[in-house]
Amino acid sequence: MYYVEFNSKKLPIEFVSAFSYTKKARLAEHSDQSVTPIGFEAAELSLRLIISPSLCSAFGVDYAQTLQDIKSLDISRKALPTAVKLGNFQPLLELLFVPTSVHYTTDNDAQNYEFDITLSGIKCAQASTNSRAAGAIEIAQSLPKVILSSGGKELEIKEEITIYKLIETPDGCELGLVVGNDSEITKDSSWKTALVNGGKVRIEAAFTTEYYITSADLEDGILQITASIYPPAAFEATTAQYSETTLQAVLADVCRRAGIPCTVKVSGSLDYCLFQCTPLEMLQQLQDSAGFLIAAQSGKLTFADVPKNNGEYSPIESILTENIDIEPISGIIWNDGVNEFEQKTTDSGSIQYINSCFRCNTNEYAQKRLMLARYWSRSFAAEMPLNSRIVQYSAISVQTSGNLHIGVVDFYQKDYINNMMHIDVHVLE
């Protein structure tokens, strides 16, 4: 005879009238419209049971006791989680489940009962040899140290708290935790509420970075956090006006308003500029007008000119590359509302029109903006085993059709659970 087993209960499988579950991938979208799977959404099982005197009698089951057992199921997430089995089939064997919802209907005589039970995965099974989640538990032993801080308290993620998602990008991170069995988070509601009000995440990998929590969602024992290197001030609209100054001074002042440290390696004059937006939007407008790169590392910004392929790089070979996408650009027309400058190359291609956010009476930014346009137009995506030391604008090489292309990592997504990273690379001229 086959049985359905859950929450330490064991009933003949004939009592099951319906069963379903989902395993939905969590996807991350990239700037090139591609997507990368970064684990799975929280899993749930739905189980429907029929409990009736005739069915219990047919299989030698005590009707009254069975009815009482199902009605009194503990739907607390602090209950002891167990595996779920239907005969020889164990769905989602990497997880242990507890009942989180029990509903039933009965007939007029209150004899025949139909139970709809929801079982939620709250803990990873320790013994599983053929699941990605079990592999993640083994990898988790070598994950970087992750520390949450809020309201003067710190909590290092370890022991009973399971990390099921840990992703870093140049300017942010995503963290997913299974905290159903953890007392420090689930019992301190004021602390978890304060996560989005001054809370931080510190990840101590090859480079230690502290992120400001922008959103935190704790539901059914699953804590999901999104964080940014930018403090709240960077997202607050303000007014800033500059005249007869330099690009270096403007960038330094904008970063001061945003509350983030910076190193400025670009130069140029600036006659007049007026902003009425957030500091982050100011930086984006300045980049689009002046033609520099913005690198983020360890919670600090660096502004630098577009590099050239001078052969002095120590390339890292990428794995699983896509075709190089090249959009020919032959020139730009740079306009600040008063002055207009044109910059061209000998190549054939499109002409881009740039509306500068600041005014400058010289042609010093047109060439830099053309270099940025051509840099952005030559790109490819790649995946490779996780290398925590790769940062923005690390050199990388790709071999295609007998040619070695040198580029720099413009964007990365480090997935510590799956031990992989996705990179967007721009080819240098």
Side-chain angles (χ1 to χ4, degrees), residues 148-365:
L148 297 180
S149 62
S150 176
K153 299 181 181 180
E154 284 194 349
L155 175 66
E156 182 179 346
I157 306 304
K158 58 182 181 179
E159 297 174 350
E160 291 186 352
I161 305 176
T162 300
I163 300 177
Y164 72 87
K165 177 175 69 172
L166 179 56
I167 294 172
E168 275 193 294
T169 62
D171 59 359
C173 73
E174 293 183 48
L175 179 64
L177 307 174
V178 180
V179 296
N181 295 330
D182 180 71
S183 60
E184 294 208 33
I185 291 181
T186 56
K187 289 184 179 179
D188 192 346
S189 59
S190 63
W191 190 86
K192 67 191 179 189
T193 302
L195 280 175
V196 292
N197 186 20
K200 298 179 182 179
V201 179
R202 186 167 74 249
I203 298 178
E204 299 181 2
F207 304 94
T208 298
T209 304
E210 190 168 65
Y211 302 92
Y212 296 85
I213 296 176
T214 56
S215 67
D217 179 36
L218 179 60
E219 184 178 356
D220 296 333
I222 304 296
L223 177 61
Q224 300 184 67
I225 290 175
T226 302
S228 168
I229 62 170
Y230 300 106
F235 302 93
E236 297 174 359
T238 184
T239 299
Q241 182 174 289
Y242 306 95
S243 61
E244 302 301 327
T245 183
T246 64
L247 180 61
Q248 303 98 304
V250 173
L251 288 171
D253 185 69
V254 173
C255 287
R256 179 191 61 79
R257 292 170 180 266
I260 188 167
C262 70
T263 298
V264 182
K265 298 182 179 180
V266 295
S267 61
S269 61
L270 189 148
D271 295 334
Y272 179 78
C273 187
L274 174 63
F275 290 114
Q276 291 179 315
C277 56
T278 68
L280 278 183
E281 291 170 333
M282 295 179 193
L283 293 178
Q284 293 166 359
Q285 292 178 31
L286 287 167
Q287 180 188 37
D288 189 58
S289 301
F292 55 81
L293 298 179
I294 305 176
Q297 182 181 337
S298 302
K300 180 180 181 180
L301 298 183
T302 298
F303 306 100
D305 291 325
V306 177
K308 293 183 178 180
N309 182 5
N310 56 16
E312 296 179 358
Y313 296 97
S314 299
I316 303 168
E317 292 187 2
S318 63
I319 297 174
L320 251 173
T321 61
E322 300 177 356
N323 293 331
I324 294 179
D325 181 24
I326 299 178
E327 178 188 353
I329 295 177
S330 62
I332 66 162
I333 297 175
W334 190 96
N335 185 290
D336 63 10
V338 175
N339 307 290
E340 183 172 287
F341 303 101
E342 186 173 359
Q343 190 73 37
K344 288 186 176 181
T345 69
T346 57
D347 298 340
S348 61
S350 63
I351 301 292
Q352 289 192 357
Y353 197 90
I354 307 299
N355 289 312
S356 175
C357 67
F358 60 83
R359 191 168 70 240
C360 180
N361 292 323
T362 67
N363 190 27
E364 57 188 302
Y365 295 109

Side-chain angles (χ1 to χ4, degrees), residues 142-145 168 203-209 297-298 386-391 414 416:
S142 59
L143 286 176
K145 183 184 293 186
E168 275 193 294
I203 298 178
E204 299 181 2
F207 304 94
T208 298
T209 304
Q297 182 181 337
S298 302
L386 178 64
N387 184 337
S388 61
R389 300 198 65 84
I390 288 182
V391 296
K414 298 177 181 178
Y416 289 94

Side-chain angles (χ1 to χ4, degrees), residues 44-91:
E44 286 189 343
L45 310 179
S46 295
L47 178 66
R48 178 171 295 172
L49 298 176
I50 301 296
I51 308 295
S52 67
S54 59
L55 195 60
C56 289
S57 176
F59 291 94
V61 175
D62 188 309
Y63 168 73
Q65 185 62 49
T66 301
L67 199 60
Q68 177 61 30
D69 288 346
I70 302 301
K71 284 185 175 181
S72 61
L73 281 172
D74 184 3
I75 60 173
S76 169
R77 285 184 175 269
K78 296 181 180 180
L80 179 66
T82 62
V84 175
K85 297 181 182 179
L86 279 86
N88 295 328
F89 173 57
Q90 183 176 340

Side-chain angles (χ1 to χ4, degrees), residues 2-73:
Y2 292 104
Y3 296 90
V4 55
E5 300 178 46
F6 66 97
N7 197 239
S8 301
K9 303 293 187 293
K10 186 175 181 179
L11 297 172
I13 201 169
E14 286 79 5
F15 284 39
V16 178
S17 63
F19 174 79
S20 65
Y21 70 96
T22 60
K23 194 171 186 180
K24 183 179 179 182
R26 189 188 305 277
L27 302 176
E29 296 186 7
H30 308 299
S31 57
D32 62 355
Q33 306 305 312
S34 64
V35 295
T36 299
I38 52 176
F40 296 96
E41 303 284 356
E44 286 189 343
L45 310 179
S46 295
L47 178 66
R48 178 171 295 172
L49 298 176
I50 301 296
I51 308 295
S52 67
S54 59
L55 195 60
C56 289
S57 176
F59 291 94
V61 175
D62 188 309
Y63 168 73
Q65 185 62 49
T66 301
L67 199 60
Q68 177 61 30
D69 288 346
I70 302 301
K71 284 185 175 181
S72 61
L73 281 172

